[in-house]
Amino acid sequence: MAYQHCIETDRSKGCGLCVAVCPKQVLELASEVNTKGYFPAYRARRDDCIYCAICCNMCPDVAITISASEDESA
C-alpha cells in the first residue's frame, strides 16, 4: 500500500518541531513565507520519507497528514 504525505503550508507556522523530530531529516523550513507570513515546513527529501507519522503527531497546527493511497505511484 502506498502512502501520501501532505503539508498544508498555510496552516504551518514554521515552528520547526516536525523538522527536529524527523528521523530521516526529510523536512526543512521553506525560504519563502506562506500567506500568514511564516516559513512553513516542506518535504525537502521526498524519497527518504518512511511515513512514520512522527511529524504528524508533533505538529501543533495539525498541518501535516499521512494517509493511505490506493495509487501506488503516490
Side-chain angles (χ1 to χ4, degrees), residues 8-65:
E8 294 182 52
T9 55
D10 287 338
R11 292 185 76 167
S12 175
K13 67 179 179 229
C15 65
L17 292 174
C18 60
V19 175
V21 299
C22 181
K24 295 293 189 174
Q25 286 100 33
V26 171
L27 304 173
E28 292 183 3
L29 295 180
S31 59
E32 295 182 15
V33 297
N34 62 14
T35 58
K36 295 182 179 180
Y38 299 116
F39 294 95
Y42 77 100
R43 285 194 313 159
R45 287 167 288 286
R46 293 178 178 271
D47 294 338
D48 293 340
C49 184
I50 59 172
Y51 304 100
C52 63
I54 295 173
C55 57
C56 300
N57 293 326
M58 184 56 75
C59 182
D61 301 310
V62 193
I64 305 171
T65 56

